[in-house]
Amino acid sequence: MSTAMAHALNEGLRSVMEEDPKVLLIGEDIGRLGGVFRVTDGLQKDFGDARVVDSPLGEAGIVGSAIGLAMAGYRPVCEIQFDGFVFPAMNQIITQLAKYRHRSEGTVTLPVVIRIPVGGGIGAIEHHSESPEAYFAHTAGLRVVSPSSAQEAYDLIRMAVRSDDPVIFLEPKHNYWLKGEIDRAATPAPFGSAQVVRPGDDLTLVTYGALVPTAVKVAAAAAEDGRSVEVIDLRSLSPIDDATIFASVERTGRLVVAHEASQTAGLGAEIAARVQDAMFYSLEAPVIRVTGYDTPYPASRLEGDWLPGLDRILDAIDRSFTY
């Protein structure tokens, strides 16, 4: 049966709560309401309000409480209601959560998952459509992942909760209600690995999260022009799976990176630098980035122009083939 990503996350959380009584959830309106996007719907009813905790409005307190719970042996999963609300908790995340394992020389682990709905495309107001992944990927000590489908959401949330490292779990809100089949018996790809979602021979298109379905449409459109585009879904933004990207670029010789976040100092810049350092003699053209603009996220009526779409990515592919 086809399942929406939001429901896949709910199912994944339910399964890890059933297998480990130390897993608990904490966040604003996640209990009785079931979360703004209903990802935790029904979990408080089934597991009680001691394991699905409706917190006061205060993101620094949510993450700080999770750090203390993790030190006491629990595996907390925090929910931040919207991407723009995570910034009050950044001090807790960067100063404490990311560093404690190193600070304690490995004697104290903090298995905390911070779930954050990210990105645009739903017509939300200011502070509700941010793409903060580069801040987290820049912070050593954090794992950063972002699913693009129901299957990945189910697999990644289970792996994130089981991880002994803190995980920033970025959920593309534009994809919450995209449906897909889930194979619950499948062996998921290892944590920290990318996936080739459409093979190709002429150009590599790397993206993640909300833009993966768009990238697959781009590849289909490019095929009508006789160009075979390989689409790679990063899944893991920190660490980045260099090996999968390098192997693809070695065959295709061309690379386009697409993401919703602004261009300057974004993930695309990091991937471009790595590929041009390691794969310079394999490249037939410069690495091209297709991103959001270096401006604050616009009003909802303009987000269709701001976000990278099919036409802008196809244009980047055309530019790559002019070299």
Side-chain angles (χ1 to χ4, degrees):
M1 185 178 71
S2 189
T3 303
M5 177 188 282
H7 295 152
L9 289 165
N10 180 285
E11 190 174 331
L13 288 169
R14 179 180 293 278
S15 71
V16 289
M17 293 183 77
E18 287 173 342
E19 71 184 24
D20 185 351
K22 292 292 187 181
V23 176
L24 56 83
L25 316 184
I26 180 170
E28 299 159 11
D29 298 323
I30 66 168
R32 186 174 179 182
L33 179 66
V36 172
F37 295 100
R38 304 298 186 267
V39 170
T40 55
D41 190 31
L43 297 180
Q44 189 181 68
K45 174 178 174 292
D46 294 338
F47 294 96
D49 58 10
R51 293 187 66 192
V52 182
V53 181
D54 275 318
S55 74
L57 192 158
E59 287 73 17
I62 294 171
V63 176
S65 299
I67 291 170
L69 287 162
M71 294 176 74
Y74 291 90
R75 289 184 176 273
V77 181
C78 308
E79 178 176 302
I80 304 296
Q81 277 197 338
F82 283 92
D83 32 38
F85 303 161
V86 73
F87 300 119
M90 293 298 276
N91 183 44
Q92 290 284 4
I93 295 171
I94 293 173
T95 307
Q96 309 297 343
L97 183 63
K99 293 182 170 61
Y100 216 94
R101 186 168 191 168
H102 184 78
R103 183 185 301 155
S104 66
E105 298 183 341
T107 58
V108 178
T109 59
L110 294 181
V112 175
V113 178
I114 302 178
R115 297 180 36 245
I116 310 172
V118 296
I122 65 167
I125 59 175
E126 191 178 27
H127 307 312
H128 290 67
S129 301
E130 305 286 335
S131 295
E133 61 266 36
Y135 299 119
F136 302 117
H138 183 69
T139 303
L142 301 175
R143 288 178 177 266
V144 185
V145 300
S146 185
S148 64
S149 66
Q151 180 75 61
E152 284 185 12
Y154 179 77
D155 291 338
L156 283 174
I157 193 64
R158 285 156 49 87
M159 286 190 280
V161 176
R162 292 166 176 163
S163 171
D164 286 333
D165 292 317
V167 178
I168 307 298
F169 197 91
L170 304 176
E171 300 169 4
K173 58 178 82 79
H174 189 255
N175 294 9
Y176 267 141
W177 305 112
L178 291 181
K179 292 186 175 181
E181 300 294 329
I182 299 178
D183 182 353
R184 295 164 184 79
T187 301
F191 216 36
S193 65
Q195 282 191 321
V196 176
V197 294
R198 177 176 171 127
D201 299 317
D202 299 332
L203 182 142
T204 302
L205 174 56
V206 171
T207 189
Y208 51 89
L211 283 185
V212 172
T214 302
V216 172
K217 293 176 183 175
V218 166
E224 295 178 2
D225 295 329
R227 290 169 177 164
S228 175
V229 173
E230 179 151 292
V231 177
I232 293 177
D233 175 4
L234 279 183
R235 299 174 75 247
S236 173
L237 314 188
S238 181
I240 293 172
D241 180 1
D242 291 332
T244 297
I245 299 172
F246 292 171
S248 179
V249 172
E250 187 169 20
R251 287 187 298 99
T252 67
R254 302 176 193 277
L255 174 62
V256 172
V257 185
H259 56 63
E260 287 191 3
S262 300
Q263 184 169 100
T264 299
L267 261 290
E270 177 63 30
I271 293 167
R274 292 183 185 209
V275 168
Q276 289 174 157
D277 181 28
M279 308 295 295
F280 183 77
Y281 292 106
S282 297
L283 287 170
E284 301 288 342
V287 178
I288 297 176
R289 291 169 289 167
V290 187
T291 70
Y293 297 105
D294 286 343
T295 66
Y297 198 83
S300 59
R301 66 182 181 279
L302 297 176
E303 67 179 358
D305 297 321
W306 197 90
L307 293 169
L310 188 142
D311 289 342
R312 282 175 58 193
I313 300 174
L314 281 174
D315 178 67
I317 291 172
D318 287 342
R319 283 191 285 134
S320 179
F321 279 97
T322 62
Y323 289 91

